[in-house]
Amino acid sequence: MKKVVKFGGSSLASAEQFKKVGAIIKADPARRFVVPSAPGKRYDGDTKVTDLLYACYEKAVNGEEFSDFFQKIQDRYNEIINGLGIALSLEKEFSTIKNQFENQAGRDYAASRGEFLNGIVMAAYLGFEFIDAADVICFNENGEFESEKTDQKLKASLEGKEHVVIPGFYGAKPDGTIQTFSRGGSDVTGSIVAKAILADVYENWTDVSGFLVADPRIIKDSKVIETITYRELRELSYMGATVLHEDAIFPVRKEGIPIHILNTNAPQDPGTLIVESTCRVPKYTITGIAGKKGFASISIDKDMMNSEIGFGRKVLQVFEENEIAFEHMPSGIDTMTVFVHQDEFEQKEQKIISGIHRAVHPDYMELESDLALIAVVGRGMRATRGTAARIFSALAHARINVKMIDQGSSELNVIIGVKNNDFEDAIKAIYDIFVTTQI
Ligand code: ASP
């Protein structure tokens, strides 16, 4: 068994947290490839090391004195090192980094040092070999990730190695300039390493016990999703559920490697397993509920719309020309409705309306704002009769008016449009009917 284990910032925020991580790694000999983030927040209101680095570099670029600020970063690492009681000094690295800040080595370079330094500490603490991500994670001159080249380099450098630490979040361009992924990108590094070594599983350790069925800000003590497919996860993350960086799915998915989301602070919890496909039946028919507020809808009516060839294309072209992406497009015989993000749409509203008038000469048009979309996602819906009926009777009982219904052809999700101020109640009603009443 080979496992890649990635630990997020809050899992590595202090010496105490490092010790938990050490115990987790020691508990399973398959946990041989470790990808750490930079130290995150220790408590509410604390600042992540990555944010300290960005701010400190900003000072350096503006020609301001930054030594005092940099000292805060040094203190964070020294506190961890002292708390772990290891014989390690980062003084040489600190002074190189300060020099590089003075030479304006780049924002990405600055941010990446959080993971770089944490990788060195982690390797020393565990007695593992340290491999600099700059030597194995490749970007091209334009800053785009190079998956083939990276895969080859990683395979070559990890060949025959027993225990390795590779810092997350960054790599390098061909000329050696440091480049980072977008924020939260250590998740992506973990996935890339898992793919290269063909790991049995990619464990992603964080500060929650997996994906929740619904947003905990709306549903207190929401149940955890035990198993979810990549496709379901895509639907839920698109609709706002976040635990994992979106791009972390793709490398492992190609190789059919599952991702296991686990909690550093409660390692005994089963967590969430993300898989390509599974015959495990979801516990509650639905896998999860997610949603977003802030949509507007543009409804267009025209007699005989259904027989007018190219009608939909002409309407959508108006949105395209105004660079507005559409989210959903339910339609009837003589009507079609386009859902868009309200804040983007508002600025271009009048241009789009006149554009549609000119393009398709509608009989009637109506705009509605302050709408929310809710996605009810679940592979289990395909095999279960009455799911839609349960959703809509729950909403009716909660006195919520449904503005729009859209069921994907895969039967994996049902999208429901409601007014923004019905959003929370709608999610509660759906959660209750599928989860609370099933317990
Ligand atoms: N440290 C980086 C961030 O704060 C990357 C990561 O944590 O994955 O975004």
Side-chain angles (χ1 to χ4, degrees):
M1 269 275 235
K2 277 185 289 188
K3 292 183 179 176
V4 170
V5 285
K6 180 262 168 180
F7 291 89
S10 55
S11 301
L12 301 168
S14 63
E16 255 19 83
Q17 290 298 90
F18 258 78
K19 286 180 188 166
K20 291 185 195 168
V21 166
I24 289 167
I25 294 171
K26 298 262 153 66
D28 183 349
R31 296 182 176 134
R32 291 167 38 203
F33 303 88
V34 182
V35 175
S37 283
K41 293 184 187 186
R42 292 160 292 183
Y43 44 82
D44 269 357
D46 194 17
T47 312
K48 288 175 157 200
V49 164
T50 309
D51 292 313
L52 291 175
L53 286 160
Y54 278 125
C56 189
Y57 186 69
E58 195 66 25
K59 279 184 181 285
V61 169
N62 294 334
E64 290 169 41
E65 162 57 36
F66 65 88
S67 286
D68 285 354
F69 206 102
F70 194 79
Q71 189 61 45
K72 280 196 215 166
I73 299 166
Q74 292 178 233
D75 291 347
R76 294 271 326 244
Y77 286 100
N78 287 335
E79 234 175 80
I80 294 173
I81 292 169
N82 294 337
L84 294 175
I86 47 175
L88 172 73
S89 164
L90 292 175
E91 290 312 312
K92 237 177 63 201
E93 285 78 8
F94 290 147
S95 84
T96 310
I97 296 169
K98 275 179 86 174
N99 272 331
Q100 292 287 49
F101 273 35
E102 269 152 22
N103 299 336
Q104 307 203 355
R107 257 187 118 238
D108 282 17
Y109 169 81
S112 75
R113 296 304 86 184
E115 270 71 10
F116 172 77
L117 293 169
N118 229 19
I120 296 176
V121 177
M122 178 67 102
Y125 176 55
L126 296 172
F128 283 19
E129 184 177 337
F130 173 78
I131 292 184
D132 188 352
D135 298 330
V136 284
I137 305 286
C138 311
F139 291 85
N140 67 17
E141 295 77 7
N142 304 324
E144 288 149 358
F145 174 61
E146 296 244 57
S147 76
E148 275 307 304
K149 202 167 153 193
T150 299
D151 206 49
Q152 283 166 13
K153 279 212 173 185
L154 270 171
K155 282 196 162 85
S157 88
L158 294 175
E159 175 76 44
K161 301 247 158 82
E162 277 302 310
H163 296 105
V164 174
V165 174
I166 303 178
F169 190 39
Y170 71 93
K173 295 183 188 179
D175 68 356
T177 317
I178 297 292
Q179 165 85 40
T180 65
F181 293 106
S182 56
R183 295 297 303 262
S186 298
D187 285 343
V188 186
T189 310
S191 181
I192 293 165
V193 176
K195 172 181 189 282
I197 63 152
L198 298 179
D200 294 282
V201 58
Y202 166 29
E203 288 183 349
N204 190 294
W205 291 82
T206 173
D207 53 7
V208 288
S209 294
F211 278 97
L212 298 175
V213 173
D215 187 336
R217 286 166 300 186
I218 301 172
I219 306 292
K220 251 203 263 147
D221 302 324
S222 164
K223 291 281 166 200
V224 172
I225 300 171
E226 287 175 6
T227 313
I228 186 169
T229 64
Y230 287 118
R231 285 176 67 207
E232 290 174 309
L233 181 65
R234 276 287 290 156
E235 302 280 352
L236 287 174
S237 0
Y238 176 69
M239 274 298 193
T242 49
V243 167
L244 194 69
H245 191 295
E246 262 200 333
D247 296 341
I249 293 178
F250 303 108
V252 279
R253 186 176 181 176
K254 275 195 197 141
E255 299 295 341
I257 300 166
I259 305 178
H260 199 173
I261 308 282
L262 289 154
N263 189 349
T264 302
N265 304 318
Q268 69 289 348
D269 285 355
T272 299
L273 195 64
I274 311 168
V275 293
E276 178 61 44
S277 57
T278 176
C279 55
R280 290 190 211 182
V281 181
K283 219 166 165 179
Y284 309 112
T285 306
I286 61 159
T287 302
I289 315 162
K292 282 188 205 166
K293 290 183 180 179
F295 292 94
S297 68
I298 302 99
S299 298
I300 304 161
D301 273 44
K302 189 177 182 192
D303 281 348
M304 306 301 287
M305 178 191 289
N306 71 324
S307 55
E308 194 175 321
I309 290 170
F311 191 95
R313 179 188 55 75
K314 287 180 204 158
V315 170
L316 293 182
Q317 195 166 350
V318 177
F319 287 90
E320 184 181 346
E321 282 162 4
N322 285 282
E323 289 180 350
I324 296 286
F326 75 94
E327 292 292 311
H328 286 281
M329 198 182 54
S331 61
I333 303 292
D334 291 329
T335 62
M336 70 182 269
T337 305
V338 182
F339 277 78
V340 291
H341 284 278
Q342 189 165 332
D343 51 351
E344 291 168 19
F345 174 71
E346 263 169 8
Q347 301 155 24
K348 297 180 175 164
E349 176 188 77
Q350 295 308 318
K351 270 179 83 182
I352 292 175
I353 292 171
S354 57
I356 294 174
H357 271 291
R358 255 171 267 144
V360 294
H361 311 290
D363 296 334
Y364 177 67
M365 254 167 63
E366 192 179 308
L367 301 188
E368 186 160 0
S369 54
D370 301 325
L371 296 172
L373 294 178
I374 297 169
V376 184
V377 176
R379 61 189 185 280
M381 297 199 288
R382 206 175 302 165
T384 322
R385 265 180 302 131
T387 310
R390 286 169 80 192
I391 296 175
F392 296 111
S393 71
L395 292 174
H397 276 113
R399 302 185 158 279
I400 291 163
N401 183 25
V402 175
K403 296 268 166 196
M404 188 274 289
I405 306 166
D406 194 356
Q407 174 169 8
S409 49
S410 59
E411 284 184 67
L412 194 67
N413 64 349
V414 178
I415 310 275
I416 300 151
V418 295
K419 277 295 216 186
N420 270 348
N421 48 23
D422 284 332
F423 179 69
E424 285 83 5
D425 287 343
I427 290 186
K428 277 187 199 133
I430 300 168
Y431 183 87
D432 282 345
I433 198 75
F434 285 103
V435 183
T436 316
T437 56
Q438 302 301 304
I439 297 167

